[in-house]
Amino acid sequence: MIRKSFVFAISSALSLTIFTSTIAKASDYPRRSINVVVPYKAGGGTDAYARALAAAAKGTINAPLVVVNKPGAGGLNGAQSTLGARPDGYTIMLTSGGSFLLSTLTRNTKIDALKSFEFVGQIGQLKTSLIVSNDSPYKTAQDLINAAKDSPSTLRWAHSGRGGFHYIAGLGFLAANGIEAQDVPFKGGGPARAAIMSNQTDFGFIGIQQLKGFEEQLRGLAVNASTRDQKVNSVPSFKELNIPYSNISSPVIILAPKNTPKDVITYLESSLKTITKKPIFVEMLSKRGTAPAYLPAEDTQNVLMEMKSDILPILENLKK
Amino acid sequence: MEIFSALSFVLTSPMLIVAILLAAVVGMIVGAIPGLTAAAAIAMLLPITYYMDPLFALAFLYVIGKSGRYGGSIAAILFNTPGTAASAATQLDGYPLAQQGKAGKAMKVATISSVIGDFMGDILLIVGVGAIASVALRLGPPETFAIYFTAFIVIGSVIGKSIAKGLISALLGGLIAMIGLDPISGEERFTFGVFDLTNGIGLVPLMIGVFVLGEVFDQMEKRNKRMAALNTKAYDKNNDGLTWEEYKPCLPHAIRGGFIGSCIGILPGLGSAIAAFVSYGEGKRRAKKPEQWGKGALEGIAAPESANNAVSGPSMAPLMTLGIPGSTIGAILLGVFLIHGIQVGPTLFLTSKELIYQLFACGLIGIAAYGLIGYFGASQVAKLIVRIPQNVLYPMIFLTSFIASYSARGSMFDVLVMICAGVVGWFMRKYEFNTAAFIISFVLAKGTEESLRQSLLMSDGGLMVFIERPIALIFILLGISVMLLRIRSIRRERNQAENKELNNA
């Protein structure tokens, strides 16, 4: 009996030390709320991931995640503010990786999407789509292309900011089909969607998930991908329509300012893995018409690197 | 009517009432502390709402937004430092009133007017949410620009004594707003290669600097000149009460303010500060004694206070039905909807009708709550605050301004901006430049530029887009006619002044 309780005491003391030592490390971080910078307006597709992440982080990360929307300039406003933040893990950025990468490539900025930040991981993927309002005369993507060919440069199209992946994908679509149209940038997906809905522009490129809840107002003509979207599968893909396009999408990634401590990154990375599996996360994204897609830090960086080599020739082409 | 069953539901759930009361108090406090805005408070409290029932969470934050807009008036009146940008117009007359010992009276006018404006906005929302949404949807970039154009002109009447100095202040505000990244092309402007400037200048540090720190410097300078002259006068028992006779002339201003605020609330993105200034400008233009405005007219509080609260209700319509947040608070509320899996969009009123009407009911009760607490409590606060000696009070305000400007974005650069803005604000006061015109044109300039350039992209650079579209045309014409009227009244004033001089001579 004595021995038993002795063993128990030892083991509990041991487990306590192990427990406290891991806690001690983790309890250094996070000690206060973590700001998650979203460089887009609330209500857009990227924002939905941040809100879901913040809600699902409860119980995994022992501090609240506070979503801070810093919209503007195709996501660079937020990126720049994140870069300027102290690298202590209390400011991280959740961004649309494709848009972010493109912004850094097309704009005069010192930010290098692959080098300026520490990669934490990927939690999802966003696809853009060709959308018109429901009372638009264009019933199919081909209608739109024909109309644009009949009267060049008269059509207007909306997107969520130049340098964003919606914009580049849109330009890619126009170039691939040999048509021209004037773009009108809006600050974020929500305002761009409203502009399409109210026929301020003739069409637009916005996230496919933005159709959710607006099925009566908007008509999705095509998804900018080789396959249909998992969630919104009523809209055909460009590939199945045999319409040329640029295969540009956007992984939803999390970045931290350069020189954020390694153990903080690892902590966040493993937390992301846990969080993205949580039913609440899946459910929240599902309500918004998206789905989780986790990748660890290294793979995230590789995905972006591959995308960069795919995009560069397209960008060169667009310049011509 | 869904709203009545919703009201009875809310009134019979004690927990919800407690949440609303709590939100009313929290909103007033954060609103009253300069730099701590309702939006910041909501952002901080957002994580708590994850654990709440959706109605609870939404009602709590919605009411904080409402009472925070009102709470800003307290600091504006007492210390000449607006708690929020929305109450910057209130200080124009609020502070002179406080100096005359009428702080209690001023605060009561602010309370009643806020309640009137807020009720008007909410009733418009409840009755016409569908109509508001369809109006908001028809407002594209050209219409938005036309409205900004008109707002600029109407606000022109706050410009003050010297037109030249007023215009310089406004231009300076616009110029400061241009710092950062170009809203269309994303290129850097006026950043001089300074990295922090690429983010632009934040409204919160700029406002705290110009209004709060500027005021502290000003008080420091005046300290030797008039020893505690304010202290003995700021609270006068005899001037605490407000009679119906006194409020009567304010009522048309409050109602007009409520109307202006409601209309501005419909337009996504314009916001409370602009509503307050437009209402103040328009009120002054129509006032029986415009010369009293800026020197302590009770009407000068009624007009902006009612307008900034009236924005709250109607701005929910484009938010809920179109997914366009009209303000920071709106953006956060949108987040709450999404977090709780409530699909914002045109179908919201089909899928979550009950919840939405219950939220509206909570809003109505929230207005009553902050109205009652404010009416009976605010003068007590005034009484308490004026007992604090100035040499304790201003250092406290000084410290708060540092904390507030840092905590908004957690940035030391913002503190630097705040200090610089403080020095600028102090000089502007000293040489009678117009700080209000400076801030409001800073706020307006960004949206104006963005909508103008979007419109020009839509029209291949042609200006016809503002004339071809009826709503845009109406606003442009409205702006031009206000401008002509204003020129006429200025000339008349000048003639009168000249005649007077001639007569005297």
Side-chain angles (χ1 to χ4, degrees), chain A residues 89-232:
Chain A
Y90 292 105
T91 306
I92 55 176
M93 174 167 71
L94 184 147
T95 189
S96 161
S99 284
F100 175 54
L101 174 65
L102 282 161
S103 297
T104 60
L105 294 175
T106 52
R107 288 159 197 268
N108 182 18
T109 173
K110 283 178 195 137
I111 299 177
D112 184 327
L114 295 165
K115 287 176 189 156
S116 300
F117 290 90
E118 307 283 354
F119 280 77
V120 181
Q122 176 193 303
I123 60 168
Q125 191 165 31
L126 292 169
K127 289 181 193 127
T128 191
S129 56
L130 173 60
I131 304 237
V132 294
S133 83
N134 224 0
D135 47 14
S136 160
Y138 314 119
K139 306 279 180 209
T140 63
Q142 198 57 51
D143 284 354
L144 184 81
I145 294 168
N146 294 342
K149 278 186 174 156
D150 288 345
S151 47
S153 303
T154 53
L155 298 184
R156 302 277 174 276
W157 63 287
H159 57 83
S160 57
R162 278 187 194 166
F165 86 100
H166 300 286
Y167 170 64
I168 301 291
L171 282 184
F173 160 78
L174 294 177
N177 291 285
I179 51 179
E180 280 175 15
Q182 175 64 53
D183 71 307
V184 182
F186 287 84
K187 266 192 179 168
R193 174 174 60 193
I196 301 167
M197 217 153 85
S198 58
N199 293 310
Q200 302 294 336
T201 60
D202 301 292
F203 64 101
F205 271 85
I206 58 172
I208 182 74
Q209 78 288 347
Q210 294 249 77
L211 270 179
K212 176 116 180 158
F214 291 81
E215 293 86 353
E216 297 287 306
Q217 284 71 31
L218 295 171
R219 185 188 301 142
L221 296 184
V223 182
N224 194 68
S226 56
T227 55
R228 290 189 179 211
D229 187 68
Q230 274 180 303
K231 294 283 169 187
V232 189

Side-chain angles (χ1 to χ4, degrees), chain B residues 317-365:
Chain B
L319 175 83
M320 294 187 300
T321 54
L322 307 176
I324 324 169
S327 61
T328 322
I329 297 172
I332 297 165
L333 282 177
L334 190 62
V336 179
F337 276 109
L338 301 178
I339 283 163
H340 290 283
I342 303 162
Q343 180 56 53
V344 170
T347 50
L348 181 69
F349 279 84
L350 301 174
T351 52
S352 319
K353 193 174 192 175
E354 208 168 285
L355 175 87
I356 297 305
Y357 277 100
Q358 282 163 1
L359 176 63
F360 292 169
C362 291
L364 291 176
I365 296 164

Side-chain angles (χ1 to χ4, degrees), chain A residues 42-43 47 51 54-55 58 64-66 70 73 76-77 80-81 83-84 86 107 156 162 182-187 190 193-194 197-198 200 212-214 217 284 287-288, chain B residues 43 46-47 50-51 137-141 181 184-186 195 198-199 321-325 331 334-335 338-339 341 343-347 406 409 450 454 457-458 460 469:
Chain A
D47 184 67
R51 305 286 167 184
K58 179 197 159 196
L65 300 186
V66 180
K70 289 194 175 164
L76 280 192
N77 273 353
Q80 240 144 1
S81 90
L83 205 65
R86 212 175 292 141
R107 288 159 197 268
R156 302 277 174 276
R162 278 187 194 166
Q182 175 64 53
D183 71 307
V184 182
F186 287 84
K187 266 192 179 168
R193 174 174 60 193
M197 217 153 85
S198 58
Q200 302 294 336
K212 176 116 180 158
F214 291 81
Q217 284 71 31
M284 281 187 73
K287 278 178 184 156
R288 293 275 296 155
Chain B
L46 183 66
Y50 297 155
Y51 312 107
L137 199 54
R138 298 178 72 180
L139 302 171
L181 296 181
I184 300 293
S185 73
F195 172 74
T198 53
N199 285 326
T321 54
L322 307 176
I324 324 169
L334 190 62
L338 301 178
I339 283 163
Q343 180 56 53
V344 170
T347 50
Y406 176 77
R409 291 198 290 193
E450 193 186 335
Q454 282 170 341
L457 284 176
M458 287 169 72
D460 282 327
R469 299 172 55 131

Side-chain angles (χ1 to χ4, degrees), chain B residues 223 231 388-396:
Chain B
R223 220 167 75 96
N231 239 357
I388 304 171
Q390 250 185 315
N391 56 3
V392 174
L393 185 65
Y394 279 96
M396 259 163 65

Side-chain angles (χ1 to χ4, degrees), chain B residues 35-215:
Chain B
L36 207 68
T37 59
I42 290 179
M44 276 187 262
L45 292 169
L46 183 66
I48 303 172
T49 60
Y50 297 155
Y51 312 107
M52 294 181 181
D53 173 73
L55 178 62
F56 247 79
L58 287 166
F60 190 62
L61 299 180
Y62 183 49
V63 174
I64 287 183
K66 281 182 178 298
S67 88
R69 281 183 175 100
Y70 154 69
S73 68
I74 298 172
I77 291 167
L78 285 178
F79 316 123
N80 204 18
T81 61
T84 58
S87 53
T90 308
Q91 72 180 19
L92 297 176
D93 279 284
Y95 189 59
L97 278 168
Q99 283 179 311
Q100 294 160 21
K102 292 178 188 164
K105 209 187 283 281
M107 279 155 84
K108 283 183 176 163
V109 171
T111 314
I112 297 171
S113 311
S114 294
V115 168
I116 290 175
D118 223 334
F119 264 120
M120 283 176 70
D122 268 24
I123 286 165
L124 180 69
L125 170 70
I126 292 163
V127 176
V129 67
I132 296 173
S134 67
V135 169
L137 199 54
R138 298 178 72 180
L139 302 171
E143 286 80 12
T144 312
F145 171 73
I147 290 158
Y148 272 115
F149 172 80
T150 312
F152 252 119
I153 290 168
V154 173
I155 287 166
S157 54
V158 302
I159 247 169
K161 276 170 256 168
S162 157
I163 295 172
K165 281 181 178 174
L167 283 176
I168 292 170
S169 314
L171 278 174
L172 192 64
L175 193 67
I176 301 285
M178 298 297 118
I179 295 174
L181 296 181
D182 181 304
I184 300 293
S185 73
E187 274 156 51
E188 290 186 15
R189 296 191 302 200
F190 304 122
T191 56
F192 305 102
V194 177
F195 172 74
D196 286 304
L197 282 178
T198 53
N199 285 326
I201 301 289
L203 174 64
V204 170
L206 189 73
M207 196 184 75
I208 300 174
V210 168
F211 287 132
V212 185
L213 206 60
E215 174 67 15

